[in-house]
Amino acid sequence: MDKIFEVIRASRKALLSLVENLTTEQMNKIPTGFSNNLAWQIGHLVVSQQVLCYKLSNNDFVIDPSLIDKYRNGSKPESFITAEEIDQIKGYLLSTIDQLEQDLVDQKFNNYTPYTVSTYKGYRLERVEDAIKFIVSHDGLHYGCSLMMKKFV
């Protein structure tokens, strides 16, 4: 799992680097043809990891729970995302992975509820390790979307 965590961190650092010089307005801009923005992309990665790992294991979230509905699968930005919230979700991007790695060592995910992801038809997560492996692909998908979006903001 060490290599998987390394890949997740590298991908998330690349995403942070991609948006580091953007204004709050640029982070909030929804380009034509897209249903969300760069701020939402970051928040969605954080929330997806929390839902797939913590919620499905009946553990408490390690992020502000008010973010879950704002960035969950199927959501879209309903209002302007403040600079403070953008900073908060940027901070969570790496801190939640550090916490996940420690919680995995501490065996906090023994009560995992299997889940079939909607992104890849029929792909079923049977245990938290499956979810963590899926995060690699999911993060890469949204990094690619973010690369495209940045061209239009």
Side-chain angles (χ1 to χ4, degrees):
M1 291 298 285
D2 290 343
K3 198 58 153 174
I4 291 170
F5 280 106
E6 187 180 323
V7 170
I8 294 169
R9 283 189 185 93
S11 173
R12 290 183 175 207
K13 285 176 184 176
L15 180 56
L16 286 170
S17 179
L18 180 73
V19 301
E20 73 181 335
N21 294 318
L22 298 181
T23 66
T24 304
E25 288 72 24
Q26 288 173 308
M27 292 290 290
N28 273 277
K29 182 177 179 183
I30 300 175
T32 302
F34 291 88
S35 60
N36 52 56
N37 55 37
L38 287 162
W40 183 91
Q41 291 287 324
I42 293 170
H44 177 68
L45 294 185
V46 169
V47 165
S48 294
Q49 178 262 327
Q50 290 290 292
V51 170
L52 292 174
C53 296
Y54 288 86
K55 182 179 181 186
L56 292 174
S57 297
N58 294 310
N59 285 300
D60 292 334
F61 297 123
V62 299
I63 65 168
D64 179 346
S66 71
L67 298 173
I68 301 297
D69 285 339
K70 290 179 78 172
Y71 299 102
R72 69 183 312 156
N73 194 32
S75 69
K76 60 183 179 179
E78 299 294 337
S79 61
F80 188 83
I81 302 166
T82 66
E84 292 77 21
E85 187 168 313
I86 291 170
D87 286 344
Q88 179 186 40
I89 58 178
K90 281 180 177 178
Y92 282 146
L93 205 55
L94 292 173
S95 70
T96 55
I97 298 305
D98 295 340
Q99 186 65 53
L100 175 62
E101 189 171 31
Q102 184 58 53
D103 290 342
L104 186 63
V105 169
D106 294 341
Q107 299 183 353
K108 290 190 175 183
F109 303 106
N110 293 332
N111 188 22
Y112 195 80
T113 303
Y115 175 75
T116 301
V117 296
S118 59
T119 311
Y120 305 114
K121 205 170 205 169
Y123 183 71
R124 189 162 170 84
L125 309 175
E126 297 288 341
R127 30 188 226 125
V128 74
E129 290 84 358
D130 297 339
I132 295 167
K133 291 172 187 173
F134 173 74
I135 288 167
V136 173
S137 173
H138 184 256
D139 281 14
L141 174 76
H142 285 280
Y143 178 69
C145 289
S146 297
L147 281 169
M148 290 294 291
M149 279 185 186
K150 186 175 178 187
K151 293 179 180 190
F152 302 106
V153 301

